[in-house]
Amino acid sequence: MQQTLYISHSKRGKEHFYLDASARYRCIFPCTDTSDRIIKHCVHFKQLKHIRVSDYSTVIFHRPVYSNKLKRLIQHLENQGVNVIADFDDLLFSVEHALESPAYLSGQLSKQQALDMTQNYLKALNLFNKAQVSTEPLKQYIGQCSPKIRTQVTNNRIPAYWSYLSTEHQAHPIDKLKDKVIRYFPGTSHHSANFNSINICLNKILNNNSDIRLEVVGDINIPNDAFPKAQFKQTETVLFDELPALISSSWLTISPLENNIFNQCKSGLKAWESGIFGVPVISSSNPDMERLKCSGLSLTTNINDWEHLILNYKDANNYAASSKAIRQSSAQSVIASDTFKAANSVQLVQILSSNYGPNWLECLYNPTHKLHLKINEQLSQLSQLDNQALITSIDDNITSLNSKFKFHLKNYFEQSSKVRIKRKLLKLKNNPRLFVRDMLKNI
């Protein structure tokens, strides 16, 4: 039987790579797709010593960074007849655009480090004969940087189970007009510059419309006086499986991007993550977003358009039609044939996340994880139960499940804090001036 192995090179490491949105989309989510009947696993590059990589028919290296170990492994796999593929979802390999990368712009890398890192990605890319990328522009840039490589586009998609984690989207769209909350989900602190590009515009909208509120969910730097205090709120990043409740209760979500080549190559995931819940999106235009363009996805390259586009969704008829349109458009970005049944996916996720923590999905598909066999065994048992039996099981064990989830949640945020502290220290080392400037913003 054919088997595919996804290998993440995430800088978060073997313990935390599930926290990396890029690793989730390119390595873990594809494993949920059962439509081709191919067994799929995912691991971190540092876990390879625990498995026989040559047992797989296809091995996909996500964001590979050059090393002698990588070079030897690719040569070995090709000699064994294994199909070896490089995978990129950002413009990390173009030296010409190295200084447009979020890591450099956010101060995590110095100029020389950004250039060196890009060279390492390019050097790694050139070890391969095949590549897959998340967007059409990335395919074009691989063609320019490494013409010999055969490249195909494999768009990002999200598992169907995720869209059932909120019942909020079952409400009538018009109800959203009663509480107009615009939300922005930056994901990482890299997006401070993207958000700040529309600060003045958003401030004007809030000042002129007392019925609109703005909420930023994530760790980005925002000046204390940027928005009217009564209409603005910033919260910490939440668990990925907690996002549906926040997204689906939003009136609108936004995705501002600075106009540069790096951002033109990015995936349009912010569109369908909201769209599957019928929440309209306003975004800076980029090619991958254009795939989903409809009345519920407003795209622009002009910052002066944002006010009109936002206020346009105050109209009840337009909002209802737009909500329906983006829900339909986003369906193409959902993995329809995933591991979980729509009818009981909410209950399955509740049980598995309580028993195994927020990274339960990685445990499920990572054969090197100590919980891999146990979680697969439990999923097999739970999948045989109908929806009512699962609900009864949850009700009977609710105290225990809540206690376990709180324990795993505590560990999750402790791990996240450690990663964040390491990044802060790296910024201090690489760019002390920018580090001090960012710290002063928070005083």
Side-chain angles (χ1 to χ4, degrees):
M1 179 178 289
Q2 286 190 319
Q3 298 185 81
T4 296
L5 177 66
Y6 293 87
I7 301 175
S8 169
H9 290 253
S10 172
K11 296 175 184 177
R12 293 179 183 264
K14 63 183 180 180
E15 301 294 335
H16 312 307
F17 75 93
Y18 180 76
L19 303 181
D20 188 333
S22 178
R24 285 197 298 267
Y25 263 102
R26 302 304 290 180
C27 297
I28 300 173
F29 290 169
C31 292
T32 69
D33 188 355
T34 60
S35 62
D36 53 13
R37 299 183 181 277
I38 295 176
I39 296 175
K40 304 179 183 74
H41 291 148
C42 63
V43 298
H44 192 273
F45 188 70
K46 293 182 178 179
Q47 296 172 323
L48 292 180
K49 64 182 179 181
H50 301 297
I51 58 173
R52 284 174 51 118
V53 184
S54 57
D55 285 347
Y56 293 85
S57 51
T58 298
V59 177
I60 299 172
F61 293 82
H62 175 55
R63 295 190 174 188
V65 179
Y66 183 85
S67 67
N68 289 329
K69 179 181 178 180
L70 175 65
K71 182 178 180 179
R72 290 194 300 270
L73 177 58
I74 292 173
Q75 290 174 342
H76 170 69
L77 292 176
E78 289 180 338
N79 289 338
Q80 298 293 315
V82 176
N83 185 27
V84 181
I85 302 172
D87 180 274
F88 281 93
D89 56 343
D90 264 334
L91 190 61
L92 303 174
F93 48 82
S94 175
V95 177
E96 179 185 355
H97 302 98
L99 302 186
E100 293 182 11
S101 73
Y104 171 72
L105 294 176
S106 65
Q108 290 193 10
L109 296 177
S110 67
K111 178 179 179 179
Q112 190 57 51
Q113 287 173 322
L115 292 169
D116 290 344
M117 182 63 72
T118 304
Q119 288 281 10
N120 282 336
Y121 280 123
L122 179 60
K123 195 173 179 181
L125 175 61
N126 285 326
L127 295 174
F128 296 83
N129 296 312
K130 297 179 182 178
Q132 65 177 33
V133 292
S134 57
T135 67
E136 287 289 344
L138 283 173
K139 179 180 178 179
Q140 296 171 14
Y141 278 104
I142 284 188
Q144 293 177 17
C145 297
S146 305
K148 70 177 181 65
I149 297 177
R150 301 193 302 277
T151 306
Q152 68 174 19
V153 177
T154 304
N155 296 125
N156 281 336
R157 293 188 299 158
I158 198 164
Y161 85 84
W162 198 74
S163 66
Y164 294 97
L165 296 185
S166 172
T167 57
E168 190 78 30
H169 67 290
Q170 297 173 2
H172 197 281
I174 302 303
D175 292 340
K176 304 285 184 66
L177 294 173
K178 299 175 184 177
D179 186 20
K180 302 183 186 69
V181 181
I182 301 173
R183 286 195 173 95
Y184 175 55
F185 300 89
T188 70
S189 58
H190 291 168
H191 294 282
S192 295
N194 288 326
F195 181 72
N196 290 336
S197 68
I198 61 165
N199 269 3
I200 295 176
C201 175
L202 291 175
N203 180 63
K204 178 182 176 183
I205 292 171
L206 294 180
N207 278 313
N208 293 337
N209 297 270
S210 60
D211 58 334
I212 296 178
R213 293 186 292 120
L214 173 65
E215 183 174 337
V216 175
V217 183
D219 179 27
I220 60 173
N221 293 319
I222 302 174
N224 292 329
D225 58 349
F227 307 106
K229 293 187 181 300
Q231 294 168 262
F232 175 70
K233 179 181 179 181
Q234 183 173 13
T235 62
E236 292 186 350
T237 302
V238 299
L239 300 172
F240 186 72
D241 285 345
E242 291 180 321
L243 282 177
L246 282 172
I247 293 173
S248 61
S249 63
S250 305
W251 172 50
L252 305 172
T253 65
I254 57 175
S255 179
L257 295 170
E258 285 193 299
N259 187 17
N260 59 44
I261 298 299
F262 199 97
N263 283 336
Q264 288 300 301
C265 293
K266 295 189 76 67
S267 170
L269 58 88
K270 295 296 182 184
W272 62 76
E273 285 181 350
S274 292
I276 58 178
F277 299 108
V279 176
V281 179
I282 300 170
S283 172
S284 303
S285 182
N286 87 342
D288 202 50
M289 286 277 193
E290 292 285 348
R291 292 190 298 118
L292 289 83
K293 190 173 183 181
C294 62
S295 61
L297 175 58
S298 296
L299 303 175
T300 181
T301 57
N302 188 344
I303 194 171
N304 295 321
D305 292 340
W306 280 76
E307 181 176 10
H308 164 72
L309 293 174
I310 288 174
L311 299 182
N312 192 41
Y313 288 113
K314 277 191 167 186
D315 180 83
N317 292 331
N318 179 53
Y319 188 84
S322 298
S323 175
K324 180 179 179 180
I326 195 169
R327 190 192 299 273
Q328 293 174 339
S329 179
S330 298
Q332 63 182 284
S333 298
V334 175
I335 301 173
S337 301
D338 73 4
T339 311
F340 308 93
K341 298 176 182 176
N344 58 19
S345 59
V346 176
Q347 287 74 33
L348 286 174
V349 170
Q350 184 174 354
I351 293 173
L352 295 177
S353 61
S354 294
N355 287 338
Y356 304 100
N359 64 328
W360 63 270
L361 196 59
E362 179 229 325
C363 301
L364 189 65
Y365 297 110
N366 186 343
T368 72
H369 200 287
K370 62 183 179 181
L371 298 175
H372 175 68
L373 295 178
K374 188 175 181 180
I375 191 173
N376 273 276
E377 181 180 350
Q378 183 169 29
L379 177 60
S380 178
Q381 295 171 351
L382 293 172
S383 297
Q384 298 176 28
L385 302 177
D386 60 26
N387 197 38
Q388 186 55 51
L390 282 172
I391 293 174
T392 301
S393 176
I394 291 173
D395 289 343
D396 291 345
N397 298 280
I398 190 66
T399 302
S400 174
L401 288 173
N402 283 339
S403 177
K404 289 178 180 178
F405 184 73
K406 288 179 181 178
F407 170 78
H408 290 302
L409 194 64
K410 181 175 181 291
N411 285 343
Y412 172 88
F413 282 115
E414 286 179 353
Q415 292 169 0
S416 298
S417 296
K418 290 177 182 177
V419 172
R420 191 177 297 114
I421 290 171
K422 286 181 180 179
R423 290 184 172 184
K424 296 281 188 185
L425 291 175
L426 186 62
K427 181 184 287 187
L428 174 60
K429 176 184 176 183
N430 295 335
N431 198 329
R433 182 177 298 177
L434 183 59
F435 175 85
V436 172
R437 189 192 73 186
D438 289 345
M439 292 297 293
L440 290 174
K441 283 183 180 179
N442 297 322
I443 296 177

